[in-house]
Every structure is written in C-alpha cells, then in structure tokens.
Amino acid sequence: MTDDGGQSHLSRLADQMEEVQLRAGDILLGHAADMLKDDNVKPWELRYLSARLYEALGDALRVAESRGDRLSSPTVDDDASVTPDDGPEPAEGVSA
C-alpha cells in the first residue's frame, strides 16, 4: 500500500492493482500446490501454470520494488544472519 494514506486517486488505484496482483498470485500458488500433488497433470498444464506463476512473481516483485522505493531501508543487526533454512518450506512433494 502507499505510504501517503492513499489520499490521491492514483494512490488508491495503485493500491487496488497491487491487491489484485497479489491475490492472483496467491490463487496461483493454491493451484500449483494441487497440481504438484496430482500425478496425472499434463506437461502443457504445468507449462501454462509456470507461465502464470512467472507473471505473478514479476508482479509481486514490481510491487515490492515500488514499495521499497517509497520506504526507507530497515537496518540489519550485525548479529543477524540469514541461512537457507530461514526460508519457507517447499510444498509437499517438491524437493528444494
């Protein structure tokens, strides 16, 4: 969401578009989880899903980048470290 409280028409429109894009990505993730559990999924179905996930990820990255441009960067503790184990768990049946 915008950091100006969504005062302008353009800010409200941008917020609405971001919400739609992120919701679409969330729905696609649900479809992906279902399809990855199904041994009968056709290759063309997986290619189609992959293309839609690619688009949704691009949208999500643009949203994050846009928000990051508007917000100051948080400081990171010198003691904090990030390891590969800190990320989300892969979907069941998917190897990392």
Side-chain angles (χ1 to χ4, degrees), residues 2-36:
T2 57
D3 57 351
D4 66 357
Q7 301 297 334
S8 73
H9 174 69
L10 186 57
S11 293
R12 287 191 304 274
L13 185 60
D15 288 345
Q16 291 169 355
M17 187 51 123
E18 288 176 2
E19 184 178 330
V20 168
Q21 290 171 328
L22 295 176
R23 194 171 342 127
D26 189 46
I27 291 168
L28 282 169
L29 285 176
H31 288 306
D34 292 341
M35 290 177 79
L36 290 171

Side-chain angles (χ1 to χ4, degrees), residues 28-93:
L28 282 169
L29 285 176
H31 288 306
D34 292 341
M35 290 177 79
L36 290 171
K37 293 176 190 173
D38 186 353
D39 292 333
N40 298 316
V41 175
K42 309 274 188 293
W44 68 265
E45 292 173 307
L46 291 173
R47 279 193 304 274
Y48 182 82
L49 176 66
S50 296
R52 303 299 71 83
L53 286 169
Y54 173 84
E55 292 167 355
L57 178 58
D59 290 342
L61 291 173
R62 278 189 295 280
V63 167
E65 185 176 300
S66 173
R67 289 180 183 182
D69 288 346
R70 293 188 304 251
L71 303 173
S72 62
S73 298
T75 58
V76 178
D77 277 346
D78 291 337
D79 295 334
S81 65
V82 178
T83 64
D85 294 336
D86 290 340
E89 293 295 319
E92 184 178 321

